[in-house]
Amino acid sequence: GQAPIVELELTSRSTNLLLEAGYDTIASIISQLEKDENELLALQGFGQKSLIDLKKRLRADGYIK
């Protein structure tokens, strides 16, 4: 739950964008995805491809289905 997002091994750009937006744990990202993933897409520089990569990593690591 409180695992840092760096453990997802996203690109450093995506990781930095998420950290700057206040998403420092994997749990915080998952809860945002469940609420409204458009909030993530609204981040400057975080687009559809970044979102797809994020979800792939979360699935691969068993965080989401």
Side-chain angles (χ1 to χ4, degrees):
Q2 294 308 311
I5 66 166
V6 290
E7 287 187 13
L8 291 175
E9 296 176 2
L10 301 167
T11 63
S12 56
R13 188 165 155 270
S14 288
T15 300
N16 290 335
L17 286 168
L18 291 166
L19 286 170
E20 284 169 22
Y23 300 103
D24 53 351
T25 64
I26 293 172
S28 65
I29 291 175
I30 292 171
S31 91
Q32 185 58 61
L33 284 172
E34 288 169 351
K35 274 192 297 211
D36 184 7
E37 64 186 34
N38 288 321
E39 289 283 323
L40 295 172
L41 290 172
L43 300 175
Q44 188 66 44
F46 194 90
Q48 199 67 47
K49 184 181 179 304
S50 304
L51 183 65
I52 291 166
D53 289 344
L54 170 64
K55 287 179 173 179
K56 274 187 191 156
R57 291 297 322 170
L58 288 168
R59 274 190 209 99
D61 293 348
Y63 289 107
I64 62 173
K65 287 192 163 83

